[in-house]
Amino acid sequence: MPDRVNSLIPRGPGGMWKAFKWSMQGLAAAFRLEASFRLEVYLFVILCPLGLWLGQTPLERALLVGSLLLVLSAELLNSAIESAVDRMGPEHNEFAGRAKDMGSAAVFVLMMNVLLCWALLLLPRVWP
């Protein structure tokens, strides 16, 4: 559904500010309500500076830090899926369970991506 009538016109500074505020509200809610997101933020706070320090080129730094950001993004999407599914009702539903499991699997795959990126970039330096 479009934001407003004639939505092909750019939002402008006011609309961009509102979108920014909504994004910050979403991040704050995820941090406050989702233990998994908090843990991943804590890991990001530790690993991001480490990745910036260990990366020898801008591309390496982008891969090390970018892979961490992807996990945070996937966790936000997974939490959104879980919230929407939970809104539908507490009773067990096979499709709702599948949606939650697939969201969790997406986070897991991106965590494996972090391990792969970090290992491929850093292991050859310590283990030739």
Side-chain angles (χ1 to χ4, degrees):
M1 179 169 15
D3 299 10
R4 59 183 181 197
V5 176
N6 202 4
S7 65
L8 296 177
I9 298 172
R11 288 181 180 216
M16 290 171 54
W17 177 249
K18 285 180 185 177
F20 174 77
K21 284 183 10 181
W22 294 329
S23 296
M24 293 302 104
Q25 287 174 1
L27 285 171
F31 191 82
R32 189 175 65 252
L33 301 170
E34 298 290 335
S36 296
F37 184 73
R38 277 193 303 277
L39 175 61
E40 289 156 0
V41 167
Y42 298 146
L43 288 172
F44 179 83
V45 167
I46 294 167
L47 293 175
C48 178
L50 189 62
L52 292 172
W53 180 61
L54 292 173
Q56 293 179 345
T57 67
L59 181 59
E60 285 185 0
R61 290 183 194 107
L63 285 170
L64 294 173
V65 174
S67 63
L68 298 170
L69 288 170
L70 287 173
V71 171
L72 291 175
S73 298
E75 186 63 50
L76 288 167
L77 292 170
N78 182 41
S79 297
I81 291 168
E82 289 180 353
S83 292
V85 166
D86 290 345
R87 168 70 174 88
M88 297 308 215
E91 67 278 349
H92 176 73
N93 179 288
E94 178 185 348
F95 298 114
R98 191 181 310 158
K100 287 182 169 189
D101 291 346
M102 289 177 177
S104 179
V107 174
F108 176 77
V109 167
L110 287 172
M111 286 180 178
M112 294 302 100
N113 181 59
V114 168
L115 291 177
L116 183 67
C117 287
W118 283 66
L120 289 174
L121 288 171
L122 301 177
L123 279 181
R125 295 181 196 166
V126 295
W127 189 22

